[in-house]
Amino acid sequence: MPRTDARRIRFGFPWVYDNEMVVDRRTKSLEAGSLAVLQDAERTPLGLVAVSPGSKIFCRMLDRNPEAEIDQTWFAARLSVAQAMRARLYDTPFYRLVHAEADGLPGVIIDRFGDVAVIQPNAAWAEARLDLLVAALQEVTGVSHVFKNAAGRARTLEGLSDISQVLVGAIDAPVPVPMNGATYLADLTGGQKTGLYFDQRDNHAFAQRLASGARVLDVFSHVGGFSLAALAGGAVHALALDGSEPALDLARQGADASGVADRFETRKGDAFDAMTALAEEGQSFDLVVCDPPAFAPSKKALDAGLRAYERVARLGAALVEPGGYLALCSCSHAATLDKFRMASIRGIGRAGRQCQLIHSGTAAPDHPLHPQLAESGYLKALFFRIL
């Protein structure tokens, strides 16, 4: 039973924290991933929840019907609703199919790459019912290959293993992904996250609009997300900078597949050191994009993370030609849009530059926001014109 006002749960908040619960010894001893009926102080049922007694998130709401049966049919119904929206948005089956709580599957991420799906079951309840989820996924989508990605901090917090594995079929090569007129190569079994960042799709497209005839620097490029989109949009040259040689190799393969290899260059190195070196070399660009990893993954890391974002902005702004453009991204949910924007503007100012903020971007619509979870609005992209 929640200690606090149950109206928040009734109005759609999907979690109950451990300090909000009144529990007995039997409840505390439940196995992580067990199902239970959540009741308010008057013992009125609020819904069917998944329980994780060892987690800060003690309960995750699965169904407002306390008598719901979490079987293959239940999973298939949720997946069908999720796929129907994506099918309206995209002509080809390359997208985030399930975005956790926002799609009614708490802690579950599923990215689709044509005939392949990558699942991140980041909550114990989903891990315990993975066979049902996979069967429903194949039933709804018809995919022939399914990979379980078990990496990530969220699984550790749920007490789950970090062993990834192919669950159905076989995945023995990077998968080509068409997006914004470019072709990307996604390493689904050994790359970062699920292999590709679909969430940046719309921000890639906006950068592409600024790239015609431009010289482009793509910092923290991963597999060439912004640089390949820019080249597809008519950039005259793009330099992709990343610390991972395997990621840069996939970027080069993507450039070949996109027919833009003659205008594409890569450089391996620490982003801060490399941007400093580029400035010392006297290089400048018409469009600079910086899409770093989460510098502020938690509130505890916020101050240090904002300082890092400010430094990125300062180094990036120094490399932009007057009248050119600087795109700065953050995937830290702890850094709000206001805080990230102010850190970015401070950094640009400390580079001795003035700016106009011309566009603010978020995650693509296949990453819907849960209206009551600030965490789901993690991605921010700011596009500045540097004067």
Side-chain angles (χ1 to χ4, degrees):
M1 296 185 294
R3 293 180 187 272
T4 54
D5 191 334
R7 284 181 297 181
R8 185 174 64 155
I9 306 299
R10 287 199 182 93
F11 294 161
F13 193 75
W15 298 341
V16 182
Y17 297 105
D18 56 356
N19 61 359
E20 297 176 325
M21 293 293 298
V22 176
V23 296
D24 55 21
R25 186 180 305 170
R26 185 179 63 175
T27 305
K28 288 181 180 179
S29 67
L30 286 173
E31 184 177 351
S34 297
L35 306 185
V37 175
L38 180 69
Q39 299 176 335
D40 64 15
E42 283 72 45
R43 296 191 178 278
T44 302
L46 297 170
L48 185 69
V49 295
V51 179
S52 293
S55 172
K56 181 180 177 182
I57 302 173
F58 197 98
C59 295
R60 288 179 165 85
M61 182 63 69
L62 297 184
D63 202 301
R64 297 289 161 179
N65 176 9
E67 298 180 0
E69 185 176 353
I70 310 303
D71 55 12
Q72 182 175 329
T73 299
W74 184 90
F75 278 111
R78 298 287 167 108
L79 291 170
S80 295
V81 171
Q83 180 172 262
M85 184 185 78
R86 276 71 178 184
R88 284 182 177 271
L89 293 171
Y90 304 110
D91 295 333
T92 56
F94 294 86
Y95 42 66
R96 173 147 296 179
L97 174 62
V98 170
H99 195 52
E101 278 77 358
D103 282 303
L105 291 169
V108 177
I109 298 295
I110 304 177
D111 280 355
R112 184 172 180 187
F113 299 86
D115 196 32
V116 184
V118 179
I119 300 179
Q120 286 185 311
N122 293 329
W125 79 273
E127 180 80 11
R129 295 161 183 82
L130 191 55
D131 289 349
L132 294 173
L133 173 56
V134 170
L137 177 64
Q138 289 191 276
E139 173 191 337
V140 170
T141 67
V143 296
S144 302
H145 312 275
V146 180
F147 180 71
K148 170 188 165 184
N149 184 313
R153 177 170 168 264
R155 285 181 59 86
T156 302
L157 296 175
E158 287 279 306
L160 302 173
S161 78
D162 60 356
I163 300 172
S164 299
Q165 62 185 120
V166 176
L167 301 176
V168 179
I171 304 170
D172 51 16
V175 175
V177 179
M179 195 161 60
N180 290 318
T183 298
Y184 297 88
L185 273 296
D187 181 0
L188 306 187
T189 61
Q192 297 178 28
K193 300 292 185 180
T194 58
L196 196 73
Y197 295 110
F198 283 132
D199 54 359
Q200 286 283 25
R201 185 194 314 249
D202 290 0
N203 297 319
H204 291 165
F206 189 84
Q208 188 176 65
R209 293 166 62 187
L210 305 174
S212 179
R215 291 160 298 139
V216 177
L217 174 63
D218 182 6
V219 187
F220 306 99
S221 68
H222 190 224
V223 298
F226 281 95
S227 45
L228 296 185
L231 290 167
V236 297
H237 182 268
L239 172 60
L241 170 62
D242 201 88
S244 166
E245 186 60 38
L248 290 176
D249 184 53
L250 288 169
R252 288 187 288 267
Q253 293 180 48
D256 284 334
S258 302
V260 297
D262 59 328
R263 294 179 279 140
F264 185 62
E265 182 183 351
T266 62
R267 182 182 292 201
K268 180 180 180 297
D270 173 83
F272 296 103
D273 293 342
M275 283 194 285
T276 301
L278 287 169
E280 291 172 349
E281 294 166 14
Q283 297 207 43
S284 61
F285 303 85
D286 304 300
L287 171 62
V288 174
V289 183
C290 301
D291 182 18
F295 286 145
S298 65
K299 290 182 179 179
K300 188 180 295 185
L302 179 58
D303 289 342
L306 291 173
R307 288 193 296 272
Y309 286 125
E310 181 181 320
R311 187 181 176 202
V312 167
R314 176 175 60 82
L315 293 170
L319 292 168
V320 180
E321 279 283 320
Y325 299 92
L326 173 66
L328 301 170
C329 304
S330 166
C331 57
S332 299
H333 70 78
T336 63
L337 176 59
D338 284 345
K339 290 182 183 297
F340 175 56
R341 182 172 56 235
M342 291 310 299
S344 298
I345 292 170
R346 281 196 304 271
I348 293 169
R350 287 180 177 169
R353 308 298 295 272
Q354 293 182 314
C355 66
Q356 300 168 316
L357 177 58
I358 65 169
H359 179 67
S360 296
T362 59
D366 55 346
H367 292 61
L369 302 184
H370 188 287
Q372 297 191 47
L373 283 183
E375 290 86 348
S376 63
Y378 64 99
L379 182 63
K380 282 98 31 194
L382 302 176
F383 291 81
F384 296 92
R385 187 167 186 242
I386 303 299
L387 307 174

